[in-house]
PDB file of all heavy atoms in Angstrom:
ATOM      1  N   LEU E 810      -0.469  -1.060 -16.433  1.00 79.00           N
ATOM      2  CA  LEU E 810      -1.429  -1.727 -17.320  1.00 79.00           C
ATOM      3  C   LEU E 810      -0.750  -1.947 -18.660  1.00 79.00           C
ATOM      4  O   LEU E 810      -0.142  -1.030 -19.204  1.00 79.00           O
ATOM      5  CB  LEU E 810      -2.676  -0.851 -17.520  1.00 79.00           C
ATOM      6  CG  LEU E 810      -3.660  -0.755 -16.349  1.00 79.00           C
ATOM      7  CD1 LEU E 810      -4.770   0.230 -16.677  1.00 79.00           C
ATOM      8  CD2 LEU E 810      -4.232  -2.122 -16.025  1.00 79.00           C
ATOM      9  N   LEU E 811      -0.809  -3.162 -19.211  1.00 84.00           N
ATOM     10  CA  LEU E 811      -0.217  -3.426 -20.513  1.00 84.00           C
ATOM     11  C   LEU E 811      -1.304  -3.290 -21.577  1.00 84.00           C
ATOM     12  O   LEU E 811      -2.340  -3.952 -21.501  1.00 84.00           O
ATOM     13  CB  LEU E 811       0.368  -4.842 -20.561  1.00 84.00           C
ATOM     14  CG  LEU E 811       0.919  -5.276 -21.929  1.00 84.00           C
ATOM     15  CD1 LEU E 811       2.089  -4.394 -22.350  1.00 84.00           C
ATOM     16  CD2 LEU E 811       1.323  -6.741 -21.900  1.00 84.00           C
ATOM     17  N   ASP E 812      -1.086  -2.435 -22.565  1.00 88.00           N
ATOM     18  CA  ASP E 812      -2.041  -2.279 -23.665  1.00 88.00           C
ATOM     19  C   ASP E 812      -1.734  -3.376 -24.673  1.00 88.00           C
ATOM     20  O   ASP E 812      -0.853  -3.230 -25.530  1.00 88.00           O
ATOM     21  CB  ASP E 812      -1.893  -0.887 -24.288  1.00 88.00           C
ATOM     22  CG  ASP E 812      -2.933  -0.643 -25.389  1.00 88.00           C
ATOM     23  OD1 ASP E 812      -3.466  -1.646 -25.915  1.00 88.00           O
ATOM     24  OD2 ASP E 812      -3.188   0.526 -25.713  1.00 88.00           O
ATOM     25  N   GLU E 813      -2.461  -4.485 -24.540  1.00 88.00           N
ATOM     26  CA  GLU E 813      -2.169  -5.666 -25.363  1.00 88.00           C
ATOM     27  C   GLU E 813      -2.275  -5.332 -26.851  1.00 88.00           C
ATOM     28  O   GLU E 813      -1.580  -5.911 -27.680  1.00 88.00           O
ATOM     29  CB  GLU E 813      -3.158  -6.788 -25.012  1.00 88.00           C
ATOM     30  CG  GLU E 813      -3.168  -7.165 -23.546  1.00 88.00           C
ATOM     31  CD  GLU E 813      -2.237  -8.338 -23.231  1.00 88.00           C
ATOM     32  OE1 GLU E 813      -1.585  -8.828 -24.190  1.00 88.00           O
ATOM     33  OE2 GLU E 813      -2.135  -8.697 -22.051  1.00 88.00           O
ATOM     34  N   ARG E 815      -1.428  -2.580 -28.356  1.00 92.00           N
ATOM     35  CA  ARG E 815      -0.271  -1.823 -28.854  1.00 92.00           C
ATOM     36  C   ARG E 815       1.036  -2.585 -28.683  1.00 92.00           C
ATOM     37  O   ARG E 815       1.993  -2.363 -29.411  1.00 92.00           O
ATOM     38  CB  ARG E 815      -0.175  -0.493 -28.117  1.00 92.00           C
ATOM     39  CG  ARG E 815      -1.419   0.372 -28.334  1.00 92.00           C
ATOM     40  CD  ARG E 815      -1.319   1.681 -27.610  1.00 92.00           C
ATOM     41  NE  ARG E 815      -0.310   2.551 -28.229  1.00 92.00           N
ATOM     42  CZ  ARG E 815      -0.030   3.780 -27.794  1.00 92.00           C
ATOM     43  NH1 ARG E 815      -0.661   4.236 -26.713  1.00 92.00           N
ATOM     44  NH2 ARG E 815       0.878   4.518 -28.397  1.00 92.00           N
ATOM     45  N   CYS E 816       1.104  -3.474 -27.703  1.00 89.00           N
ATOM     46  CA  CYS E 816       2.354  -4.200 -27.444  1.00 89.00           C
ATOM     47  C   CYS E 816       2.676  -5.141 -28.602  1.00 89.00           C
ATOM     48  O   CYS E 816       1.822  -5.933 -29.012  1.00 89.00           O
ATOM     49  CB  CYS E 816       2.237  -5.002 -26.147  1.00 89.00           C
ATOM     50  SG  CYS E 816       3.642  -6.103 -25.881  1.00 89.00           S
ATOM     51  N   PHE E 817       3.873  -5.056 -29.153  1.00 88.00           N
ATOM     52  CA  PHE E 817       4.238  -5.963 -30.248  1.00 88.00           C
ATOM     53  C   PHE E 817       5.370  -6.893 -29.823  1.00 88.00           C
ATOM     54  O   PHE E 817       6.115  -7.403 -30.644  1.00 88.00           O
ATOM     55  CB  PHE E 817       4.589  -5.188 -31.529  1.00 88.00           C
ATOM     56  CG  PHE E 817       5.714  -4.202 -31.368  1.00 88.00           C
ATOM     57  CD1 PHE E 817       7.008  -4.536 -31.704  1.00 88.00           C
ATOM     58  CD2 PHE E 817       5.453  -2.926 -30.857  1.00 88.00           C
ATOM     59  CE1 PHE E 817       8.034  -3.625 -31.547  1.00 88.00           C
ATOM     60  CE2 PHE E 817       6.485  -2.016 -30.693  1.00 88.00           C
ATOM     61  CZ  PHE E 817       7.777  -2.369 -31.035  1.00 88.00           C
ATOM     62  N   GLN E 818       5.419  -7.133 -28.511  1.00 85.00           N
ATOM     63  CA  GLN E 818       6.289  -8.198 -27.986  1.00 85.00           C
ATOM     64  C   GLN E 818       7.758  -8.000 -28.365  1.00 85.00           C
ATOM     65  O   GLN E 818       8.465  -8.967 -28.630  1.00 85.00           O
ATOM     66  CB  GLN E 818       5.790  -9.566 -28.485  1.00 85.00           C
ATOM     67  CG  GLN E 818       4.321  -9.814 -28.266  1.00 85.00           C
ATOM     68  CD  GLN E 818       3.950 -10.074 -26.820  1.00 85.00           C
ATOM     69  OE1 GLN E 818       4.778 -10.545 -26.055  1.00 85.00           O
ATOM     70  NE2 GLN E 818       2.748  -9.691 -26.423  1.00 85.00           N
ATOM     71  N   CYS E 819       8.253  -6.800 -28.364  1.00 85.00           N
ATOM     72  CA  CYS E 819       9.648  -6.574 -28.761  1.00 85.00           C
ATOM     73  C   CYS E 819      10.613  -6.949 -27.631  1.00 85.00           C
ATOM     74  O   CYS E 819      11.780  -7.210 -27.869  1.00 85.00           O
ATOM     75  CB  CYS E 819       9.850  -5.118 -29.154  1.00 85.00           C
ATOM     76  SG  CYS E 819       9.786  -4.004 -27.749  1.00 85.00           S
ATOM     77  N   GLY E 820      10.114  -6.909 -26.366  1.00 84.00           N
ATOM     78  CA  GLY E 820      10.946  -7.328 -25.251  1.00 84.00           C
ATOM     79  C   GLY E 820      11.829  -6.235 -24.666  1.00 84.00           C
ATOM     80  O   GLY E 820      12.577  -6.491 -23.711  1.00 84.00           O
ATOM     81  N   VAL E 821      11.773  -5.039 -25.191  1.00 87.00           N
ATOM     82  CA  VAL E 821      12.647  -3.958 -24.692  1.00 87.00           C
ATOM     83  C   VAL E 821      12.424  -3.718 -23.200  1.00 87.00           C
ATOM     84  O   VAL E 821      13.363  -3.490 -22.443  1.00 87.00           O
ATOM     85  CB  VAL E 821      12.393  -2.661 -25.497  1.00 87.00           C
ATOM     86  CG1 VAL E 821      13.061  -1.470 -24.831  1.00 87.00           C
ATOM     87  CG2 VAL E 821      12.901  -2.819 -26.916  1.00 87.00           C
ATOM     88  N   CYS E 822      11.176  -3.814 -22.770  1.00 88.00           N
ATOM     89  CA  CYS E 822      10.864  -3.509 -21.372  1.00 88.00           C
ATOM     90  C   CYS E 822      11.528  -4.505 -20.415  1.00 88.00           C
ATOM     91  O   CYS E 822      11.759  -4.180 -19.254  1.00 88.00           O
ATOM     92  CB  CYS E 822       9.351  -3.491 -21.157  1.00 88.00           C
ATOM     93  SG  CYS E 822       8.532  -4.944 -21.784  1.00 88.00           S
ATOM     94  N   ILE E 823      11.841  -5.707 -20.896  1.00 87.00           N
ATOM     95  CA  ILE E 823      12.435  -6.717 -20.001  1.00 87.00           C
ATOM     96  C   ILE E 823      13.767  -6.204 -19.445  1.00 87.00           C
ATOM     97  O   ILE E 823      14.007  -6.253 -18.236  1.00 87.00           O
ATOM     98  CB  ILE E 823      12.629  -8.051 -20.747  1.00 87.00           C
ATOM     99  CG1 ILE E 823      11.254  -8.640 -21.082  1.00 87.00           C
ATOM    100  CG2 ILE E 823      13.447  -9.032 -19.903  1.00 87.00           C
ATOM    101  CD1 ILE E 823      11.312  -9.915 -21.890  1.00 87.00           C
ATOM    102  N   ALA E 825      14.709  -3.128 -19.333  1.00 85.00           N
ATOM    103  CA  ALA E 825      14.545  -1.826 -18.668  1.00 85.00           C
ATOM    104  C   ALA E 825      14.094  -1.992 -17.220  1.00 85.00           C
ATOM    105  O   ALA E 825      14.260  -1.100 -16.410  1.00 85.00           O
ATOM    106  CB  ALA E 825      13.520  -0.984 -19.429  1.00 85.00           C
ATOM    107  N   LEU E 831       9.944  -8.758 -15.333  1.00 88.00           N
ATOM    108  CA  LEU E 831       9.388  -9.183 -16.620  1.00 88.00           C
ATOM    109  C   LEU E 831      10.257 -10.292 -17.206  1.00 88.00           C
ATOM    110  O   LEU E 831      11.470 -10.309 -16.996  1.00 88.00           O
ATOM    111  CB  LEU E 831       9.341  -7.995 -17.583  1.00 88.00           C
ATOM    112  CG  LEU E 831       8.530  -6.794 -17.118  1.00 88.00           C
ATOM    113  CD1 LEU E 831       8.803  -5.596 -18.004  1.00 88.00           C
ATOM    114  CD2 LEU E 831       7.055  -7.125 -17.111  1.00 88.00           C
ATOM    115  N   LEU E 833      10.564 -13.374 -20.710  1.00 84.00           N
ATOM    116  CA  LEU E 833      10.024 -13.894 -21.965  1.00 84.00           C
ATOM    117  C   LEU E 833       9.411 -15.264 -21.703  1.00 84.00           C
ATOM    118  O   LEU E 833      10.010 -16.097 -21.018  1.00 84.00           O
ATOM    119  CB  LEU E 833      11.145 -14.037 -22.999  1.00 84.00           C
ATOM    120  CG  LEU E 833      11.452 -12.821 -23.868  1.00 84.00           C
ATOM    121  CD1 LEU E 833      12.595 -13.133 -24.820  1.00 84.00           C
ATOM    122  CD2 LEU E 833      10.212 -12.400 -24.639  1.00 84.00           C
ATOM    123  N   TRP E 837       8.326 -16.567 -27.318  1.00 75.00           N
ATOM    124  CA  TRP E 837       8.869 -15.207 -27.300  1.00 75.00           C
ATOM    125  C   TRP E 837       7.808 -14.194 -26.880  1.00 75.00           C
ATOM    126  O   TRP E 837       7.873 -13.023 -27.248  1.00 75.00           O
ATOM    127  CB  TRP E 837       9.456 -14.825 -28.675  1.00 75.00           C
ATOM    128  CG  TRP E 837      10.628 -15.677 -29.014  1.00 75.00           C
ATOM    129  CD1 TRP E 837      10.623 -16.828 -29.761  1.00 75.00           C
ATOM    130  CD2 TRP E 837      11.965 -15.498 -28.556  1.00 75.00           C
ATOM    131  NE1 TRP E 837      11.882 -17.356 -29.815  1.00 75.00           N
ATOM    132  CE2 TRP E 837      12.738 -16.550 -29.096  1.00 75.00           C
ATOM    133  CE3 TRP E 837      12.591 -14.537 -27.747  1.00 75.00           C
ATOM    134  CZ2 TRP E 837      14.094 -16.679 -28.860  1.00 75.00           C
ATOM    135  CZ3 TRP E 837      13.936 -14.664 -27.509  1.00 75.00           C
ATOM    136  CH2 TRP E 837      14.678 -15.717 -28.059  1.00 75.00           C
ATOM    137  N   ARG E 838       6.833 -14.629 -26.110  1.00 75.00           N
ATOM    138  CA  ARG E 838       5.838 -13.654 -25.628  1.00 75.00           C
ATOM    139  C   ARG E 838       6.360 -12.987 -24.365  1.00 75.00           C
ATOM    140  O   ARG E 838       6.917 -13.652 -23.492  1.00 75.00           O
ATOM    141  CB  ARG E 838       4.503 -14.364 -25.350  1.00 75.00           C
ATOM    142  CG  ARG E 838       3.699 -14.602 -26.624  1.00 75.00           C
ATOM    143  CD  ARG E 838       2.285 -15.147 -26.337  1.00 75.00           C
ATOM    144  NE  ARG E 838       2.306 -16.188 -25.312  1.00 75.00           N
ATOM    145  CZ  ARG E 838       1.880 -15.979 -24.066  1.00 75.00           C
ATOM    146  NH1 ARG E 838       1.479 -14.784 -23.696  1.00 75.00           N
ATOM    147  NH2 ARG E 838       1.894 -16.950 -23.183  1.00 75.00           N
TER     148      ARG E 838
HETATM  149  S1  SF4 N1786       8.602  -2.648 -24.780  1.00 50.19           S
HETATM  150 FE1  SF4 N1786       7.452  -4.296 -23.783  1.00 50.19          FE
HETATM  151  S2  SF4 N1786       5.384  -3.531 -23.653  1.00 50.19           S
HETATM  152 FE2  SF4 N1786       6.448  -2.262 -25.167  1.00 50.19          FE
HETATM  153  S3  SF4 N1786       6.034  -3.235 -27.109  1.00 50.19           S
HETATM  154 FE3  SF4 N1786       7.960  -4.088 -26.371  1.00 50.19          FE
HETATM  155  S4  SF4 N1786       7.347  -5.926 -25.260  1.00 50.19           S
HETATM  156 FE4  SF4 N1786       5.512  -4.711 -25.530  1.00 50.19          FE
END
Side-chain angles (χ1 to χ4, degrees):
L810 286 176
L811 175 63
D812 184 339
E813 304 266 1
R815 299 180 70 179
C816 172
F817 58 96
Q818 310 287 333
C819 71
V821 168
C822 51
I823 293 177
L831 302 168
L833 272 179
W837 295 95
R838 280 187 317 106

